[in-house]
């Protein structure tokens, strides 16, 4: 089966035909913005298909994803990018904000003057948002909304997963740990 397609929506304030969001490998946007304009103020969305979350329960349902981003700014005051995460349980008629990311929480790879692209040295930050019971329906949509600032660089999102554990727990490496069982042997 093919993976569900997330849909892209231009927020209506495209700058010179470019958008704040791009699908990796499908667009050839020059960096930064063809060296003439800025993405500052543009706002774009990526919206998921509907997910059936009715089998999950509050306290055991997390919207997990990994993020890697950078800024071209030289200080935290320069970082004006914002990423919001929303859900909708009524086909997108209304959206409920789950969380937002700004400054260092969004640009977790600091300042990169050239085009930021993840590589072997990139820090991918796990993000987990506990889902409220109102989001656990048989038709729940999710939306990422990005509003870049004047010194925006690239932000990458990967491994979106709805799980019963937060990303930092469900993706932990537990190999190489030793433990003792006392008393040994165990007696009933």
């Amino acid at each position: 089966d093919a993976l569900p397609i997330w849909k892209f929506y231009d927020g209506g304030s495209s700058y010179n035909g470019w958008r704040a969001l791009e699908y990796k490998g499908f667009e050839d946007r020059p960096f930064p913005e063809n060296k003439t304009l800025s993405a500052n103020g543009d706002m774009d969305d990526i919206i998921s298909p509907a997910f059936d979350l009715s089998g999950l329960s509050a306290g055991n349902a997390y919207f997990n994803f990994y993020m890697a981003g950078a800024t071209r700014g030289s200080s935290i005051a320069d970082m004006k990018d914002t990423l919001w995460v929303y859900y909708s349980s009524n086909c997108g008629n209304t959206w409920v904000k789950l969380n937002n990311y700004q400054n260092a929480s969004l640009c977790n790879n600091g300042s990169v003057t050239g085009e930021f692209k993840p590589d072997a040295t990139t820090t991918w930050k796990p993000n987990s948002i506990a889902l409220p019971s109102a989001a656990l329906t048989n038709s729940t949509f999710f939306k990422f909304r990005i509003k870049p600032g004047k010194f925006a660089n690239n932000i990458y999102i990967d491994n979106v997963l709805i799980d019963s554990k937060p990303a930092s727990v469900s993706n932990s490496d537990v190999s190489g740990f030793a433990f003792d069982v006392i008393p040994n042997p165990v007696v009933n």
Side-chain angles (χ1 to χ4, degrees):
D1 288 335
L3 292 173
I5 304 282
W6 289 56
K7 300 212 183 255
F8 172 84
Y9 295 93
D10 186 340
S13 59
S14 290
Y15 51 100
N16 198 26
W18 299 108
R19 301 178 297 228
L21 292 172
E22 65 177 309
Y23 287 110
K24 182 71 177 137
F26 293 97
E27 291 184 329
D28 294 323
R29 181 178 76 160
F31 179 83
E33 300 81 50
N34 205 18
K35 300 184 177 46
T36 58
L37 296 172
S38 171
N40 189 28
D42 189 21
M43 197 172 326
D44 297 329
D45 300 334
I46 293 181
I47 300 176
S48 76
F51 288 96
D52 182 355
L53 306 180
S54 60
L56 300 174
S57 59
N60 289 312
Y62 295 88
F63 183 76
N64 299 320
F65 62 97
Y66 281 75
M67 185 166 49
T71 181
R72 291 183 295 125
S74 58
S75 70
I76 291 200
D78 291 339
M79 296 181 200
K80 302 292 185 189
D81 303 14
T82 304
L83 174 75
W84 293 272
V85 181
Y86 298 90
Y87 80 89
S88 175
S89 58
N90 59 12
C91 295
N93 288 320
T94 58
W95 292 95
V96 178
K97 184 175 81 167
L98 289 168
N99 205 351
N100 67 290
Y101 301 87
Q102 296 175 302
N103 305 332
S105 70
L106 182 59
C107 301
N108 61 315
N109 285 278
S111 181
V112 176
T113 55
E115 182 176 9
F116 172 69
K117 293 180 182 178
D119 62 18
T121 64
T122 299
T123 300
W124 285 90
K125 179 184 174 199
N127 295 278
S128 292
I129 304 170
L131 294 174
S133 58
L136 305 178
T137 71
N138 65 351
S139 184
T140 303
F141 294 82
F142 294 93
K143 173 169 67 173
F144 289 103
R145 172 171 278 175
I146 186 77
K147 181 178 180 186
K150 181 178 177 183
F151 296 102
N153 205 321
N154 295 331
I155 307 293
Y156 292 83
I157 296 171
D158 200 1
N159 294 336
V160 175
L161 175 69
I162 299 163
D163 198 5
S164 62
K165 301 176 287 292
S168 58
V169 172
S170 61
N171 294 295
S172 295
D173 180 9
V174 294
S175 63
F177 290 95
F179 63 92
D180 294 322
V181 177
I182 299 173
N184 192 0
V186 176
V187 179
N188 288 343

